[in-house]
Amino acid sequence: MAASSVHVDQLFPIDGSVTKSRDRLIIKTSHPNPSLQVTADHQLKSVEAPVYAPREGEVLVHIKATGICGSDIHFWKTGRIGSLVFEDDCIIGHEASGIVLKCGEGVTNLKPGDRVAMEPGVPCEQCFLCNEGRYNLCEDVRFAGVYPHAGSIQRYKIHPAKWLHKLPDNASFAEGALLEPLSVVMHGIKTTGLSLGRGVVVCGAGPIGLIALAAARASGAHPIAITDLEPSRLAFARELVPSCMTYQVDLNKDAAGNAQALRALFGASEYDAPETVLECTGVESSVCTAAYTARRGGTVMVIGVGKATMNNLPFMHISLAEIDLRFINRYRDTWPSAIQCLSGGILDLKKLVSHVFPLVKAEDALHLCADTRNGSVKVLVVDEQDASL
């Protein structure tokens, strides 16, 4: 759906009246604004959310597609990730794309009808980290879907225009929603610095792991292996990247034992061992396996989200082998290049979308995604079934 074909008045009928709630103007519309919240007591709640008028520098977006992320499930089930705590009810969702409906004063880079992808983190732009360009580390970031900042599983959402990125005509709303997890992977790969023709292991064949597999292949890494507990996920990985090797994690082996079997896929010598490991699960045992798998002097990039502390990392092995154990926090400056990857055909991630739910059944989407027995890969919540998926 090209931007020029969008009829905004049909999508967003307004009767012209506004009311005020605290410091916000609320627009009265003939369409409701259904949303999905996670509550402070770990429940899901469908609620009618207000439609706010955009202030200076802001845009009102009709959210067309939102991907369900593992962090959404974490917040629902546990109420926190590290220091991020749900102290009250909050609309979740942050992997989103949609259509611009209304622009606040001073917005010049967007106009009603533009199709956009949402970069969900809004940094303070005042601290030393923001001033250094490392805005992903800003402690005062307002991140969509993390309490108290409303997320994108709703029909209408306000977002600063600076953190919205235009989608090209050949990119669907589904691909727009996939830009967020792709950005996570791209930041990890950029920070790691993959080498052409050097081996890589991807730990975990969930959505992030599968995107990391495809991105590593597109980056020229070879050979590549991916690990998981589930044979069905490994089979999907082979469909996505036919040249990859797969390894089913053996629960009867310890981290060193699984690493030894993984290394054997790459050859007998230390030189043949994988130079880089992209750890995409955050599970402690997997991080330990990654540390034993990388060749001496290699790099382990932890992309996955894990528990607050890990007590069993093989410290002396990491030290003696000079393993570069690295971490990332979300992403920065990735959206333009991520858009180019998809629109230019460098990556095709559409096949990752395994399930699509309408917005009014967003709770069902969370329940399906939370149960690994359902075999979901990437689950989308869309406001309209014709959302150019």
Side-chain angles (χ1 to χ4, degrees):
M1 181 187 296
S4 59
S5 67
V6 175
H7 299 288
V8 174
D9 291 340
Q10 296 176 7
L11 295 171
F12 188 59
I14 306 174
D15 69 3
S17 64
V18 295
T19 58
K20 190 169 185 179
S21 174
R22 297 181 183 176
D23 62 340
R24 277 284 188 184
L25 292 178
I26 297 176
I27 302 173
K28 184 177 180 181
T29 76
S30 59
H31 287 180
N33 186 24
S35 70
L36 181 65
Q37 294 184 344
V38 163
T39 67
D41 59 349
H42 314 314
Q43 303 296 316
L44 295 174
K45 182 170 66 174
S46 297
V47 298
E48 174 72 18
V51 181
Y52 294 115
R55 295 186 292 203
E56 184 176 358
E58 294 180 336
V59 168
L60 179 64
V61 179
H62 178 189
I63 301 295
K64 301 289 277 184
T66 295
I68 304 299
C69 176
S71 64
D72 299 318
I73 306 299
H74 275 289
F75 282 131
W76 167 30
K77 297 292 187 178
T78 69
R80 69 184 304 151
I81 295 176
S83 61
L84 306 175
V85 181
F86 268 54
E87 299 176 2
D88 205 341
D89 302 350
C90 183
I91 298 172
I92 58 171
H94 59 275
E95 303 176 1
S97 63
I99 300 173
V100 173
L101 297 177
K102 189 176 179 62
C103 296
E105 291 185 10
V107 174
T108 59
N109 61 316
L110 296 170
K111 65 182 183 304
D114 283 343
R115 301 165 65 252
V116 293
M118 183 183 80
E119 184 170 352
V122 181
C124 75
E125 301 187 71
Q126 301 297 322
C127 68
F128 76 96
L129 291 164
C130 287
N131 289 335
E132 290 177 356
R134 303 170 72 192
Y135 65 83
N136 60 311
L137 300 181
C138 174
E139 292 189 279
D140 293 324
V141 64
R142 291 176 287 140
F143 198 88
V146 177
Y147 177 84
H149 309 294
S152 58
I153 303 185
Q154 57 178 319
R155 176 166 290 143
Y156 304 122
K157 174 171 169 46
I158 290 290
H159 202 69
K162 180 176 179 178
W163 304 102
L164 292 168
H165 304 270
K166 287 184 183 179
L167 288 173
D169 290 347
N170 68 342
S172 67
F173 288 115
E175 290 174 299
L178 287 167
L179 288 169
E180 198 277 346
L182 175 56
S183 285
V184 172
V185 170
M186 290 181 67
H187 184 47
I189 286 179
K190 181 179 179 180
T191 304
T192 303
L194 297 186
S195 299
L196 285 166
R198 286 299 308 159
V200 172
V201 168
V202 177
C203 296
I208 292 292
L210 291 168
I211 294 173
L213 174 69
R217 185 71 187 100
S219 299
H222 185 79
I224 304 175
I226 187 167
T227 75
D228 206 274
L229 286 167
E230 295 292 331
S232 61
R233 292 213 169 200
L234 295 176
F236 184 88
R238 287 191 294 270
E239 293 178 15
L240 185 68
V241 179
S243 63
C244 77
M245 302 179 290
T246 58
Y247 176 76
Q248 185 177 354
V249 176
D250 188 344
L251 295 179
N252 294 316
K253 294 181 178 179
D254 61 10
N258 276 300
Q260 184 179 18
L262 256 174
R263 276 174 160 244
L265 298 177
F266 288 79
S269 74
E270 174 69 25
Y271 181 80
D272 292 327
E275 184 178 62
T276 305
V277 181
L278 303 174
E279 206 300 306
C280 299
T281 72
V283 176
E284 183 172 337
S285 60
S286 183
V287 176
C288 293
T289 298
Y292 285 117
T293 300
R295 74 174 185 172
R296 294 173 71 84
T299 300
V300 173
M301 169 56 68
V302 181
I303 297 175
V305 175
K307 59 185 181 181
T309 60
M310 294 185 183
N311 301 315
N312 298 306
L313 290 180
F315 174 79
M316 282 311 302
H317 170 77
I318 294 171
S319 174
L320 293 173
E322 288 194 2
I323 301 297
D324 189 2
L325 180 60
R326 311 194 72 176
F327 304 85
I328 60 165
N329 180 28
R330 296 172 180 152
Y331 32 70
R332 63 176 181 269
D333 302 321
T334 53
W335 252 259
S337 53
I339 289 171
Q340 291 297 330
C341 282
L342 297 187
S343 66
I346 297 172
L347 292 172
D348 182 1
L349 303 180
K350 294 187 291 295
K351 61 182 68 176
L352 294 179
V353 179
S354 59
H355 298 79
V356 178
F357 286 80
L359 177 58
V360 293
K361 293 186 177 181
E363 285 190 51
D364 294 342
L366 267 289
H367 281 285
L368 179 137
C369 197
D371 190 341
T372 57
R373 295 172 298 180
N374 291 321
S376 66
V377 181
K378 175 55 68 175
V379 178
L380 291 187
V381 173
V382 303
D383 190 29
E384 295 176 3
Q385 291 293 348
D386 64 347
S388 297
L389 296 174

